Amino acid sequence: MALRTNPTLRQLRLGAELRRMREQAGLGGSQLARALGINPAHVTQMESGRTGVSIERLRTIAALCMCVNEPLIDALAAIITDRNKGGWWEEYRGTLSSDFLEVAEIEGHTSGLSTYTMAFIPGLLQTSGYTSAVFDRALTPLPRHEVDLRTAFRIRRRELLRSGATPYSAYIHEAALRMQFSGPQVQAEQLCSLIEDSGRPKVSIRVVLFDVDTLPLNYENFTYVEGPVRELDTVQVDSAVGNVLFDAPAHIARFRAMLARLDSAALSEGDSREFIRSIKKDMESKHV
């Protein structure tokens, strides 16, 4: 079987969980290979997502590693079952970088999303005008067709909210509400859209005010992605070099603690909606 050159995020996560399962059992790669009757290189390829794993082999590995977490094993089996089902984002492969596709892939398979942003409106809540303005502000100017392509892709991601199928919670710092990427009119339109989105089913938008005591957060923005089981939760962080993904239990626990702090510090949904309205009125008065 030919090795994959570009495994998907889910294929990579399956491999990572197989490695974690083996390490928790105290087995080396060579030991597991011997028990499976395969070459040690094959174990490495499975754990790096470069080669496929059958459900039968998954369950054999789980048994050899004495893993009795049936919900986790079933969730990993589900990844194997739908491994050939590409999402809408595959249409953009070859035209957009993998960072864009990875975010859409994460969103396409999640059980729920929570985001925190300090300097900008979360991508899933951005209007076309706001998104275009953000991409136009790139340090190295992008060609017009590239800005339009990225904008179209991000707006298409909003279908996740329109479907009402996936719970989504957004914690937005007051700084992001006031930050203007293309003048008060674009920002006012974005705030109006936020107010509308806050009324969508399964969407929660809450504001973190300037006067809240300093939050012990290590990141200015992050997205917490719920998996089918808690062991498959993932956190995505934007950075200057692209997406950074966290899935180690210690990291996940830390981000859960961050969300708990945000939940206690943010305004209620109703108060957040009124606060956004007040900023919108201020923006509109500046535009007059």
Side-chain angles (χ1 to χ4, degrees), residues 213-273:
D213 290 342
T214 302
L215 291 169
L217 303 180
N218 300 85
Y219 302 91
E220 293 183 353
N221 66 84
F222 66 84
T223 299
Y224 190 99
V225 185
E226 297 176 28
V229 293
R230 284 174 70 86
E231 293 84 353
L232 293 183
D233 288 358
T234 305
V235 173
Q236 179 259 330
V237 175
D238 293 329
S239 76
V241 295
N243 291 331
V244 179
L245 301 176
F246 297 92
D247 57 34
H251 287 140
I252 295 300
R254 191 173 189 178
F255 279 100
R256 285 193 190 121
M258 292 183 197
L259 283 175
R261 287 295 186 96
L262 287 167
D263 188 65
S264 63
L267 295 176
S268 68
E269 292 181 18
D271 288 345
S272 294
R273 190 177 297 111

Side-chain angles (χ1 to χ4, degrees), residues 121 125 127 129-130 176-196 276-288:
I121 304 301
L125 296 170
T127 63
Y130 184 95
L177 298 176
R178 297 187 183 279
M179 188 78 71
Q180 296 181 39
F181 288 95
S182 189
Q185 181 178 13
V186 169
Q187 189 69 10
E189 291 170 351
Q190 174 62 75
L191 296 177
C192 182
S193 179
L194 275 183
I195 295 168
E196 293 176 1
I276 295 171
R277 282 198 179 100
S278 69
I279 298 179
K280 172 178 170 288
K281 289 179 180 178
D282 183 48
M283 294 288 178
E284 288 172 336
S285 66
K286 291 180 180 179
H287 179 62
V288 174

